[in-house]
Amino acid sequence: MINTNYKIKIIRSLQGIKKNEFDLLDINSGYSSYEWLIAIEQRPFINVSYVTVTAQDGKLLMVVPCYLETEPYLYSSYNTRDILMGSDIEYQINKYGSPNQIEDFKKNNVIINNCIGIRPVKSLICSTREGYAASANFLNMQNKNQLNCLTRKVINIITQIGESLGCTFISFLYLDASNNLFQSLISDKRYTKFRQPPTAYLKLKWENFDEYLDSFSSHRRNAIRRDIKRYEQGRIISSIRRLEELSTSTLASLLNQTINKYEFNQDKSKSLKWCEDYINHLKIIKLPNYVFIALLDEEVVGFSLWFHYRDSFLGRVVGFDYSKLGHTSLCYQNIAFYYPIFHAIELKIKRLEFGLGTLETKVFRGCGLLQNFGFVFSPFINKKEIFSNVEIIDEIHNQELSHLKNNFSCPTYSTPKLNE
């Protein structure tokens, strides 16, 4: 018999929930934390609602953030149309895809655009914004049948909200297979499942940095030691600072260079201003932080920013001055990997979360991968062609994972629990 003595509410801010009550939920990432979600609420143009479930006695059972997004987006990481068109695996498609797969992708993307039409896409997205992690937090309930029943009810409510708002897509993004939402969505015939890029984690099981190095083959261990030695023999000096101590304009300029060099095809004239706003936003997040910086003649020429949540480090953003560093400084490898790993081991941190992308670089340094999935429903476009790329996306992810396993002995993780 399912206990029905609970209340489902929709609220517009977590300010109405006490942090100590929220922290009793089963939170698997700092990107799902109270501090992170509260800070995201303060971002410009954020339209968020939370579906909450409480027991009869007032105990908080579930919180699911829902973000209403309308094109154009600054990034395509949460744009469901772009995701279905392969935007978040463009590099993998070009590297691992066969000529036939690439050609099929191009043809399918024309079909997807024709199905959707020219109007801006409105999406209701259930996922942690700017964190690439499942956003839903649940109390670890003993009665699993009751938990599953509540989860299905919440999914139905979110679906109804998306339909009432006229959303082209209702999406649950960056879920892993152990998430309660995943377990319910997998049997929901309205939603189509697809693979998303995996998250890279490094589980720290060593007492010191030398033990970390000893975990590798002699070839890889020697390569890492050479990277560190060459870096330390140069003119660059490394240091650790707090984010609030550093100039927003300096960090924004470095981040802007990295964005323009590697990541996004946005209007570069707007990029620097966006970077400044983003750094200022990161400064309001009430989580402890560490910024590993590279100094050349007392000028900051590189940085990586990490937030500390419970027993985990979250790698958030990096930036470098490539013109001053040159091609042989090895600044990225040291500032983004070796120094944070060394410091985290010293602090007895249990894991580092390196996020998405550049997986070869991360796996080479010991990271394992947690596979992410998305689920999407389109209430108003009853055409299966909008999901025509899903099978190819799965194949591309399998090809990349096979490459990483064969070349780097890359482990795959189940959901990494905090405080274990």
Side-chain angles (χ1 to χ4, degrees):
M1 183 98 173
I2 300 298
N3 180 9
T4 58
N5 295 322
Y6 55 81
K7 182 185 294 185
I8 299 177
K9 289 176 56 179
I10 299 171
I11 62 176
R12 295 305 303 269
S13 173
L14 283 187
Q15 299 284 0
I17 296 176
K18 294 179 180 178
K19 180 180 181 304
N20 62 337
E21 295 177 356
F22 186 95
D23 286 346
L24 294 175
L25 300 174
D26 191 13
I27 303 169
N28 283 325
S29 172
Y31 294 130
S32 303
S33 68
Y34 187 89
E35 293 87 347
W36 190 267
L37 296 175
I38 283 285
I40 292 297
E41 288 182 17
Q42 301 175 55
R43 289 281 279 154
F45 312 114
I46 289 292
N47 187 344
V48 61
S49 298
Y50 302 88
V51 179
T52 66
V53 183
T54 52
Q56 189 176 29
D57 61 3
K59 181 183 291 184
L60 188 64
L61 302 178
M62 193 181 306
V63 177
V64 184
C66 303
Y67 298 91
L68 183 64
E69 301 273 7
T70 304
E71 291 181 330
Y73 300 163
L74 183 59
Y75 298 145
S76 59
S77 305
Y78 301 94
N79 186 330
T80 307
R81 180 216 294 260
D82 285 0
I83 289 173
L84 292 173
M85 294 173 68
S87 65
D88 56 356
I89 60 165
E90 187 174 349
Y91 168 81
Q92 290 88 340
I93 292 168
N94 291 327
K95 180 168 183 176
Y96 301 107
S98 67
N100 287 341
Q101 285 175 321
I102 294 172
E103 186 61 30
D104 286 345
F105 235 102
K106 292 177 180 178
K107 292 177 180 177
N108 291 342
N109 285 347
V110 173
I111 295 171
I112 292 170
N113 271 327
N114 288 338
C115 289
I116 296 172
I118 61 173
R119 68 175 184 268
V121 168
K122 182 190 293 184
S123 297
L124 188 64
I125 298 170
C126 299
S127 175
T128 295
R129 286 284 272 103
E130 301 171 8
Y132 311 115
S135 57
N137 292 315
F138 305 87
L139 190 69
N140 191 9
M141 299 165 62
Q142 295 298 318
N143 188 330
K144 298 304 180 185
N145 288 334
Q146 182 178 353
L147 176 59
N148 292 335
C149 177
L150 289 175
T151 304
R152 288 193 295 271
K153 286 182 177 295
V154 167
I155 291 170
N156 286 334
I157 288 171
I158 291 171
T159 303
Q160 290 167 12
I161 292 171
E163 290 175 326
S164 68
L165 292 172
C167 291
T168 311
F169 295 111
I170 304 163
S171 306
F172 294 81
L173 303 179
Y174 301 106
L175 301 173
D176 69 84
S178 70
N179 188 283
N180 288 302
L181 283 174
F182 179 98
Q183 301 295 336
S184 296
L185 285 162
I186 199 76
S187 59
D188 192 318
K189 301 302 183 184
R190 295 169 297 182
Y191 284 85
T192 297
K193 177 174 75 76
F194 58 95
R195 295 268 290 274
Q196 292 195 269
T199 302
Y201 290 93
L202 181 64
K203 294 183 177 180
L204 298 180
K205 49 197 175 186
W206 309 282
E207 292 296 320
N208 54 58
F209 193 75
D210 285 336
E211 286 187 9
Y212 160 70
L213 292 177
D214 288 341
S215 68
F216 295 109
S217 66
S218 59
H219 172 75
R220 207 185 307 182
R221 181 168 60 248
N222 291 334
I224 293 173
R225 283 180 170 148
R226 282 194 302 271
D227 284 352
I228 297 172
K229 184 176 181 180
R230 286 172 55 194
Y231 175 75
E232 292 180 340
Q233 287 176 340
R235 296 167 50 213
I236 298 174
I237 298 173
S238 299
S239 180
I240 304 174
R241 302 282 178 82
R242 299 294 184 221
L243 181 57
E244 53 272 20
E245 299 171 359
L246 297 166
S247 160
T248 293
S249 60
T250 297
L251 299 182
S253 175
L254 298 173
L255 172 59
N256 178 233
Q257 291 187 52
T258 298
I259 286 175
N260 290 338
K261 184 176 176 68
Y262 289 113
E263 297 185 26
F264 311 110
N265 296 319
Q266 64 192 63
D267 182 350
K268 295 183 180 180
S269 67
K270 298 180 180 178
S271 177
L272 181 58
K273 175 64 168 64
W274 183 89
C275 290
E276 290 173 347
D277 292 342
Y278 187 60
I279 295 297
N280 282 328
H281 160 68
L282 294 174
K283 287 185 174 183
I284 71 171
I285 297 173
K286 294 183 178 180
L287 291 173
N289 66 73
Y290 298 88
V291 187
F292 298 87
I293 63 171
L295 295 165
L296 182 61
D297 299 329
E298 300 185 353
E299 180 184 357
V300 180
V301 292
F303 79 94
S304 71
L305 167 63
W306 297 76
F307 287 100
H308 184 180
Y309 181 73
R310 297 185 180 178
D311 63 358
S312 180
F313 266 15
L314 313 173
R316 179 62 273 179
V317 70
V318 301
F320 300 95
D321 188 328
Y322 300 98
S323 63
K324 293 178 180 174
L325 287 170
H327 300 292
T328 58
S329 70
L330 298 170
C331 187
Y332 170 69
Q333 293 88 332
N334 283 272
I335 290 297
F337 289 96
Y338 306 136
Y339 277 74
I341 292 169
F342 177 89
H343 192 68
I345 293 173
E346 293 288 303
L347 290 175
K348 307 300 182 184
I349 297 298
K350 292 187 177 180
R351 70 172 189 181
L352 286 88
E353 187 170 328
F354 283 92
L356 314 181
T358 60
L359 294 183
E360 284 193 14
T361 302
K362 295 168 183 176
V363 169
F364 180 85
R365 289 158 180 87
C367 288
L369 303 178
L370 175 68
Q371 182 61 60
N372 294 311
F373 296 89
F375 291 83
V376 61
F377 169 52
S378 181
F380 302 111
I381 304 178
N382 189 22
K383 296 180 181 179
K384 65 180 182 180
E385 287 84 3
I386 61 173
F387 305 114
S388 53
N389 276 334
V390 167
E391 185 175 334
I392 303 176
I393 290 172
D394 280 0
E395 291 171 357
I396 295 295
H397 280 301
N398 283 332
Q399 289 160 9
E400 180 181 36
L401 185 59
S402 295
H403 167 77
L404 294 171
K405 283 185 173 180
N406 293 336
N407 290 276
F408 300 101
S409 301
C410 169
T412 53
Y413 291 160
S414 59
T415 306
K417 298 287 184 182
L418 292 171
N419 300 320
E420 278 191 358

